[in-house]
Amino acid sequence: MIKLITFDFDGTTADTMPFLEKIAIKLLTQFYKLPTEEARLKYRSTTGLPFEQQVTQLFPQHSMNTRVIELFEHQKIEEIFSLPLFPDTKEVINHLKRRGYLIAISSSTFQSTIEEYCKRKGLEVDQILGYRKGFEKGRDHFEFLQKKFNVSADEMVYIGDSLMDCKRAESNDILFIGKTGMFKKQQFNEISSSNLTIDSLSELKTLLPKLQPNGKK
């Protein structure tokens, strides 16, 4: 039985990914001289990682990495609090809480940023986990949640909007549900063992009660 539902933040809970992608593409084209479409593809191929890890993975030991990371994080914090939740986020999360599910957010965004954002938007969950060096989305967060809430991997589900989210969930034996947006259903299904996707969070209200621990309906 599913007890703990964990949501990604950017692109899943909050409608922030178009803005973040726009910043990233601008910086990648400006500092690494990439064509726009190549910059977009490189950014998307590593989405789900903290931005500093995206940059160092894409451009190992490049002299401009530190500057690019600083600019990205500065522009992100300047604008993120003005960006909206998805229209159904609060209603769906409140519905799931009333049904007895535990709710967490696990993200590669800094935890203090997510906490402040949720406070301003009036979004209440049981646990928020963000990125810091040595503690990040994936195994670190999942093990923390399992210990805190005394749940096993097969009592958890992770909902995210990136292929990296899928890989991190399933490599830790966590049932994954892909939220379409940056990636399409077909792209998730090509790598996901669950083959579960949604177009909006509202679909969770009917999908989750049907799921068995192995992800089958």
Side-chain angles (χ1 to χ4, degrees):
M1 182 176 70
I2 302 299
K3 296 181 179 179
L4 173 60
I5 304 168
T6 307
F7 293 84
D8 174 47
F9 180 67
D10 295 301
T12 302
T13 306
D15 190 6
T16 56
M17 283 309 298
F19 170 72
L20 297 180
E21 183 177 64
K22 182 179 179 180
I23 298 174
I25 290 172
K26 180 180 179 181
L27 293 171
L28 296 187
T29 55
Q30 178 181 351
F31 288 92
Y32 304 105
K33 309 305 180 185
L34 298 179
T36 298
E37 191 55 31
E38 183 179 353
R40 186 189 318 279
L41 290 173
K42 284 185 178 295
Y43 177 71
R44 290 190 176 190
S45 72
T46 53
T47 293
L49 294 173
F51 186 71
E52 66 178 76
Q53 292 183 15
Q54 290 183 262
V55 169
T56 55
Q57 180 174 310
L58 292 170
F59 309 101
Q61 300 181 334
H62 196 288
S63 61
M64 297 308 301
N65 286 353
T66 299
R67 179 60 175 158
V68 168
I69 293 165
E70 289 174 349
L71 287 170
F72 179 88
E73 296 298 346
H74 176 74
Q75 292 179 51
K76 179 177 180 177
I77 201 68
E78 276 196 332
E79 297 293 336
I80 195 168
F81 300 118
S82 67
L83 301 175
L85 292 164
F86 284 101
D88 55 355
T89 296
K90 288 176 71 172
E91 190 275 327
V92 170
I93 285 179
N94 288 336
H95 170 88
L96 296 174
K97 288 168 66 177
R98 289 195 299 270
R99 294 298 182 273
Y101 293 105
L102 294 163
I103 305 295
I105 292 174
S106 169
S107 172
S108 292
T109 292
F110 295 130
Q111 185 162 323
S112 59
T113 301
I114 307 170
E115 289 173 341
E116 179 63 23
Y117 180 95
C118 289
K119 179 180 178 181
R120 294 190 188 193
K121 303 298 182 183
L123 181 65
E124 297 183 3
V125 298
D126 297 292
Q127 181 68 55
I128 293 172
L129 296 175
Y131 171 70
R132 67 175 186 268
K133 287 185 182 296
F135 185 74
E136 60 186 81
K137 181 166 66 175
R139 182 177 299 277
D140 296 334
H141 286 188
F142 293 140
E143 289 182 348
F144 177 95
L145 292 169
Q146 288 167 10
K147 183 175 181 180
K148 177 171 181 176
F149 294 109
N150 192 29
V151 296
S152 60
D154 63 4
E155 293 174 319
M156 297 174 64
V157 61
Y158 188 72
I159 301 152
D161 71 314
S162 75
L163 303 183
M164 191 67 68
D165 291 338
C166 177
K167 292 174 182 177
R168 289 198 168 188
E170 295 193 346
S171 67
N172 287 280
D173 299 318
I174 306 293
L175 178 64
F176 178 75
I177 300 174
K179 183 173 184 288
T180 59
M182 181 170 287
F183 297 97
K184 298 178 181 179
K185 178 177 181 178
Q186 179 182 351
Q187 292 172 287
F188 282 117
N189 288 347
E190 286 174 354
I191 68 166
S192 174
S193 61
S194 70
N195 287 333
L196 295 172
T197 57
I198 56 174
D199 297 318
S200 69
L201 295 182
S202 294
E203 295 173 53
L204 294 173
K205 292 190 289 185
T206 54
L207 175 60
L208 287 168
K210 299 176 183 178
L211 294 181
Q212 300 172 15
N214 59 9
K216 294 181 179 179
K217 298 180 184 179

